């Protein structure tokens, strides 16, 4: 059975970076992390080795220092062997790089957030990335004025096959809903 260590609090000043951490953090990335922490709070704890040595969260600690935070939530992973700790330092950073994006769903989310007036830079995407995603010239976008638009809600229904999709479509149409089919 997997253990779930309890969150603790640690002084930022007491946290010790891993000397051989091969992951780097540019000033721009630290600024993005700091903006995220300001907007959303400190939601991702620092993983430490039981002696205040940072295993995971070096960038978050740098951002916390930039923001002047005195304490952070930590999880102690003192159960790890030296080899496991060293491997996890790498795995924590590397495994996230293997994830991809469903660009169609990403566009829907970003447009939704933009329509709500959220600054899309808080998502971590740069202006050039957003422009490339939406196939338009790179330029900051202004939130749309929704006061003159009627409210509209969309629902995505995932279906296992075309027959299930057709039944869901027909049921929604019969209920008076405007429908369209998109295949992702």
């Amino acid at each position: 059975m997997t253990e779930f260590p309890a969150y603790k609090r640690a002084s930022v000043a007491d946290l010790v970076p891993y000397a051989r951490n091969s992951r780097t953090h540019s000033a721009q990335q630290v600024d993005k992390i700091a903006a995220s922490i300001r907007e959303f709070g400190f939601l991702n704890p620092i993983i430490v080795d039981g002696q205040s040595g940072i295993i995971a969260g070096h960038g978050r600690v740098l951002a916390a220092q930039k923001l002047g935070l005195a304490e952070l939530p930590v999880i102690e992973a003192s159960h790890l062997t030296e080899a496991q700790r060293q491997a996890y330092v790498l795995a924590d950073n590397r495994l996230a790089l293997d994830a991809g994006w469903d660009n169609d769903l990403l566009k829907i989310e970003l447009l939704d957030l933009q329509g709500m007036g959220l600054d899309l830079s808080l998502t971590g995407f740069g202006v050039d990335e957003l422009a490339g995603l939406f196939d338009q010239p790179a330029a900051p976008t202004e939130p749309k004025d929704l006061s003159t638009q009627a409210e509209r809600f969309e629902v995505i229904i995932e279906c296992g096959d075309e027959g299930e999709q057709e039944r869901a479509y027909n049921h929604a149409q019969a209920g008076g809903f405007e429908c369209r089919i998109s295949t992702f």
Side-chain angles (χ1 to χ4, degrees):
M1 180 175 195
T2 302
E3 286 189 37
F4 297 103
Y7 288 84
K8 297 181 178 184
R9 296 183 74 76
S11 167
V12 173
D14 292 341
L15 296 174
V16 180
Y18 178 48
R20 293 181 8 194
N21 182 30
S22 55
R23 192 68 168 167
T24 61
H25 301 282
S26 69
Q28 288 176 323
Q29 187 212 17
V30 172
D31 287 345
K32 285 181 179 182
I33 297 169
S36 177
I37 292 169
R38 255 192 313 274
E39 180 73 17
F40 309 118
F42 205 99
L43 300 176
N44 195 357
I46 308 304
I47 311 297
V48 295
D49 63 7
Q51 298 174 355
S52 298
I54 302 170
I55 296 173
H58 290 83
R60 293 188 299 280
V61 171
L62 292 171
Q65 290 169 336
K66 183 179 185 86
L67 294 171
L69 300 179
E71 286 189 324
L72 298 178
V74 299
I75 293 178
E76 286 190 2
S78 55
H79 66 284
L80 298 177
T81 66
E82 178 65 19
Q84 288 175 322
R85 183 188 58 74
Q86 283 182 247
Y88 189 75
V89 168
L90 298 173
D92 180 63
N93 288 297
R94 180 59 184 94
L95 294 174
L97 297 176
D98 289 338
W101 292 100
D102 179 322
N103 285 341
D104 291 329
L105 291 176
L106 178 59
K107 287 179 195 178
I108 291 168
E109 284 294 296
L110 291 168
L111 287 171
D112 202 26
L113 291 171
Q114 187 178 38
M116 289 187 254
L118 185 84
D119 177 0
L120 293 184
S121 70
L122 289 170
T123 64
F125 289 96
V127 173
D128 291 337
E129 290 174 295
L130 293 169
L133 185 66
F134 292 106
D135 298 320
Q136 57 189 1
T141 56
E142 296 294 321
K144 293 180 182 176
D145 178 12
L146 298 178
S147 63
T148 59
Q149 299 179 7
E151 259 187 85
R152 179 178 146 177
F153 301 93
E154 294 184 13
V155 174
I156 296 174
I157 301 172
E158 292 185 14
C159 301
D161 57 41
E162 288 181 4
E164 189 177 329
Q165 182 184 43
E166 184 176 354
R167 287 189 297 280
Y169 178 86
N170 290 337
H171 182 75
Q173 285 275 133
F177 294 99
E178 178 182 329
C179 299
R180 84 175 165 217
I181 294 177
S182 296
T183 304
F184 296 80

